[in-house]
């Protein structure tokens, strides 16, 4: 179970959120969404950060008046944390409704070293290997 986010994850996660907020202020909504997706790739291993990203995605969907995103994020806010809690998450998944909930995706090159211990051999679901 992943209750505490390691410091390297926390720093990377916060950096993506910082970039998200800057992009929002600049009204660059495509870029803002991109940073939310990256934060999801990092944060999905830990229940609190995972739920937090889906909540931000829900708010983003509300601001955009995107009914599909709103509904999809409501489901993810309610249930996404469970996968994180038990280390059963789709590695690399970006978290938006345009991607199936359980679909694994390639990890961005610049995040591969951070997520090097992601177990990608478990039928599309994975958690971090314990050390």
């Amino acid at each position: 179970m992943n209750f505490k986010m390691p410091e390297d994850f926390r720093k990377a996660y916060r950096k993506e959120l910082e970039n998200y907020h800057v992009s929002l202020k600049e009204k660059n909504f495509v870029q803002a969404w991109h940073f939310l997706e990256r934060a999801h790739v990092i944060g999905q291993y830990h229940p609190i950060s995972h739920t937090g990203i889906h909540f931000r995605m829900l708010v983003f969907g509300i601001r955009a008046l995107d009914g599909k995103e709103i509904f999809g994020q409501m489901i993810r806010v309610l249930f996404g944390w469970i996968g994180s809690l038990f280390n059963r998450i789709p590695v690399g998944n970006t978290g938006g409704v345009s991607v199936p909930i359980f679909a694994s995706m390639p990890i961005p090159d610049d995040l591969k070293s951070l997520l090097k211990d992601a177990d990608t051999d478990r039928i599309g679901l994975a958690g971090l290997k314990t050390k």
Side-chain angles (χ1 to χ4, degrees):
M1 291 187 191
N2 292 321
F3 289 108
K4 187 174 181 192
M5 184 182 271
E7 187 60 28
D8 54 346
F9 273 66
R10 187 175 5 268
K11 284 180 182 178
Y13 179 79
R14 287 182 179 161
K15 181 65 178 166
E16 299 302 333
L17 289 181
E18 182 182 309
N19 291 337
Y20 162 70
H21 289 294
V22 168
S23 296
L24 271 184
K25 285 179 184 174
E26 295 172 351
K27 298 187 187 304
N28 187 340
F29 302 116
V30 171
Q31 191 69 21
W33 183 257
H34 170 74
F35 289 120
L36 279 181
E37 290 178 322
R38 288 175 55 82
H40 182 271
V41 170
I42 298 164
Q44 70 180 335
Y45 295 94
H46 304 92
I48 294 170
S49 58
H50 191 187
T51 303
I53 284 300
H54 283 301
F55 181 77
R56 286 174 179 87
M57 288 178 162
L58 171 62
V59 170
F60 194 96
I62 291 169
R63 286 181 177 161
L65 300 175
D66 184 338
K68 186 177 174 185
E69 197 69 50
I70 293 167
F71 178 75
Q73 292 306 328
M74 286 172 50
I75 300 299
R76 287 161 173 83
V77 165
L78 291 172
F79 300 108
W81 62 273
I82 296 170
S84 300
L85 188 63
F86 295 104
N87 298 328
R88 301 293 292 170
I89 55 100
V91 172
N93 187 292
T94 55
V97 298
S98 63
V99 177
I101 290 175
F102 297 115
S104 291
M105 300 172 67
I107 297 170
D109 288 340
D110 66 318
L111 297 180
K112 284 182 180 176
S113 63
L114 177 67
L115 303 175
K116 68 185 177 304
D117 291 330
D119 179 357
T120 56
D121 296 330
R122 290 204 252 160
I123 315 169
L125 298 175
L128 290 179
K129 296 175 185 173
T130 55
K131 295 180 180 179

